[in-house]
Amino acid sequence: MNKIFSLCLAIIAFSSCLEVTKNKTKTTTTKQPNIIYIMSDDHTTQAFGIYGSRLASLNPTPTLDKIASEGIIFDNCFVNNSICTPSRAAILSGQHSQANGVLDLEGALPMEKQYLPIEMKKLGYQTAMIGKWHLKEQPNFDYFNVFTKHGQQGSYFDPYLTETGMHFTEEHDPAYEGKQYKGHSTDIVTDISLDWLKNKRDKSKPFILFHQYKAPHDDFEFAPRYLDYLKDTEIPEPESLYDNANNGSIGTRGENDSLIHVIGSSVSKRNTIRNMGMRLWSKQYTKNNNPDFDSTEIDSLNDKDYTHATYQEYLKRYLRCVKGVDDNVARLIKYLKAEGLYENTIIVYTGDQGFMLGEHDYIDKRWMYEESLRMPFFVRYPEKIKAGTRTDAIINNTDFAPTLIELAGGKAPEKMQGHSFKTILETGEEPEDWQQSSYYRYWMHMAHAHANPAHFGLRTKQYKLIFFYGKYWVDTDNPEADWNKKSWGNRFTLHTPAAWEFYDLEADPKEMNNAYSDPKYKTVIADLKEQLIAKRKELNEEDGTKYPHIQKVIDEHWND
C-alpha cells in the first residue's frame, strides 16, 4: 500500500515538473522581443534592389535586400511631410504636423511629446537613440548619443555627438560642443551602437535601439574606401531628366513656364538659383569625394552633356553613401547573430522620407511626387513574420509608433493619430477596414533655394491628388507677422500660383501626365476632393481660422 502511495506521489510530482517545464518554455518563447529600428536619411526606394527601380541592377543594397527577403516588404509606405524634422516628429509622436506642432525644419519635439520612447519605457524596455536626431530638444531615451552640431545635421567626417550625461545643446557652444569622433559618420554611428549593445545596455531587459544614419543625405560625402565603387559604371538615367512631358502645373512651373528657373532645385542648369552642379563641382565638395577633379572639362560642356555628367557624379556619390550604410548594417547583423540575438530581435529598416534622384529633373525631397513621397519600409521577425511576404497595404510614418508599441505588448495611446499594422505584419493580409489613403502636407514654402511650393494632397493605391496653394504658413503679407527672416535660402514672401494636379498611377506610374483637366476623371477627382476634406478634418489638418491666408486660397481655388 505504501509502495502504491509513493508511486502516486512520484507520478504527481513528475506531472507537476512537466507542467512547470512547459510553462517555462512558454514564457521563454513569448518574452518581449528586442527591437532595432534602423533609419537612414534620404535613402529612397530607387536605391534598393528589392524595389525594382532602374538602379536595382546595380545591386546597391545586398545586405538590406537579404533582411527584407526574410520578412515583409511594404510597397506603399508614405511619408506625411517629406522633410527631416517633421517626418522624425511624426515617427516618434504618431501624429501629423498640426497635432505634434512640428511643421517644418525649425520645429522642435519636446521631451513630453516623444510618445514612442515614453510608452516603450512603460512596457519595460530600455530605450536608446544613436546617430541623427534633428528634433532640437533633448531625446527622451534612457541612453542617447546624437549629432548636435551643424543644426543637428552632424558632419560626414569627424562629427561631434552629445551623449547622455552631457549638457544637451544644438548650437555651437565651446563649453558644450559634445565629443568629437574621428572617422566617417556612418562607421561611427555603428561603432557607438555596437558599444551600447555590448557594454552599456541592461541585458536583463528587452531593448529598443534607434540606430540612425546621416547618410545618404546631401552633400553625399562618402568614406574614402568607396572612391572606386561604380567608378566605371554608367548609371541608368530617368527619361524625365531630359523631358518632363506633362508633369506639373502652373503651381510648379508658373504661367507659361515663367518660374521654371526658380522652382524646384535641379540636376540640370534649369534652376539658376540652386542646381546640383553648383555644389557638386565646387572645390568644397570635391576635396573628399573627387580629389583629382579638374573643373575645366565640365565648364566646357553643352547643357545636355553637363546634365549627364552631373547626374552620373550625383548618383555615384549618393550610392557610395548607400554602400557605406549597407556594409555597416552588415556589421550590426553579424553582432546580433554572434550573440544569439538575431532571431528574437525585430529589425525595422526605413528612410526618413524618399528622395528625388533626377526624376523630373529634381533633386532633394519635399515634393509629393512618388520618389519623394514613398518610403522604403521592411520588417524582419521570423517568430511572427513569414519570410518573402510583400504587401501593397497603405501605411505612413505616423503608423510606425502604434505598431512598435503593439509589437512590444502594449497599446498605443489615443492621442496618436496613426494606426497599428501589426496584423498586416503577422498575416500579410490587409484588414477589410484598413485605411485606403494617406494624407500628405508640405508646410514649408520656397525654402533653402530648393524652392518647393507649399502643397497638400491625398494618395490612394491608384490615384494621387495634389493642391499647390503656394504660400508660407506664416502670413508674410501681414506687417505684424513674425518669422525667421535670416533663415538661409528662403523666399517665403514669394507667393506662387495655386494649382491642382492629378495622376492616375495605374496608367501613368511615372507621373508624366497631369490629368486634372481630363473630363474622364471628373467623377474620380470630385470623390477624391471629398475624401481629402474628410481626411483633413479627421487629422485636425484644416487651416480654418488658424491660417486664414491659406484658407482663402483654398476657398478661391477648390473648384478650379
Side-chain angles (χ1 to χ4, degrees), residues 169-392:
T169 177
E170 62 156 323
E171 301 299 334
H172 176 67
D173 182 342
Y176 301 110
E177 61 184 6
K179 176 183 175 182
Q180 186 175 27
Y181 292 74
K182 293 294 183 180
H184 192 269
S185 72
T186 306
D187 300 332
I188 289 165
V189 169
T190 306
D191 291 343
I192 294 171
S193 284
L194 288 173
D195 179 59
W196 182 80
L197 287 166
K198 292 174 185 177
N199 305 314
K200 293 180 178 175
R201 67 184 173 96
D202 182 346
K203 296 183 181 180
S204 69
K205 292 182 178 182
F207 66 81
I208 180 166
L209 166 63
F210 286 76
H211 175 84
Q212 304 193 160
Y213 293 114
K214 171 184 175 66
H217 190 280
D218 70 0
D219 287 287
F220 323 116
E221 295 180 73
F222 52 84
R225 64 182 179 274
Y226 297 115
L227 183 60
D228 291 332
Y229 175 63
L230 299 174
K231 184 176 181 179
D232 299 318
T233 301
E234 181 76 6
I235 310 297
E237 298 175 336
E239 293 177 15
S240 57
L241 175 60
Y242 300 101
D243 181 6
N244 204 19
N246 190 38
N247 168 268
S249 61
I250 62 168
T252 62
R253 297 193 306 261
E255 294 278 2
N256 300 315
D257 287 350
S258 59
L259 296 176
I260 62 169
H261 299 300
V262 298
I263 289 181
S265 52
S266 58
V267 176
S268 74
K269 293 180 179 179
R270 172 186 58 78
N271 191 310
T272 56
I273 297 173
R274 183 166 184 171
N275 62 66
M276 181 54 72
M278 289 177 176
R279 298 164 78 87
L280 203 64
W281 304 120
S282 69
K283 289 183 180 179
Q284 181 181 356
Y285 293 107
T286 55
K287 63 182 179 182
N288 287 321
N289 292 311
N290 197 348
D292 299 323
F293 171 71
D294 180 1
S295 64
T296 307
E297 184 178 346
I298 288 294
D299 294 339
S300 66
L301 295 175
N302 64 44
D303 284 356
K304 186 170 183 179
D305 289 343
Y306 176 91
T307 299
H308 172 74
T310 302
Y311 172 85
Q312 292 295 316
E313 184 70 13
Y314 170 30
L315 267 289
K316 287 176 184 180
R317 292 191 195 181
Y318 179 89
L319 291 171
R320 287 164 187 162
C321 287
V322 168
K323 175 67 172 169
V325 168
D326 195 74
D327 287 349
N328 271 279
V329 171
R331 292 175 60 204
L332 204 57
I333 299 305
K334 182 179 179 181
Y335 169 79
L336 294 175
K337 287 180 176 179
E339 294 299 312
L341 295 169
Y342 192 50
E343 298 308 309
N344 190 47
T345 298
I346 297 171
I347 298 174
V348 179
Y349 187 89
T350 187
D352 58 347
Q353 61 255 326
F355 204 70
M356 308 299 292
L357 295 178
E359 299 84 7
H360 312 294
D361 190 26
Y362 289 134
I363 60 175
D364 203 65
K365 51 265 185 178
R366 305 165 191 255
W367 295 108
M368 197 183 162
Y369 298 132
E370 206 67 357
E371 295 83 3
S372 169
L373 175 70
R374 186 186 300 276
M375 304 171 76
F377 192 87
F378 50 86
V379 186
R380 181 194 186 276
Y381 182 40
E383 184 173 312
K384 298 287 186 179
I385 299 171
K386 184 180 178 182
T389 307
R390 198 154 194 147
T391 178
D392 68 349

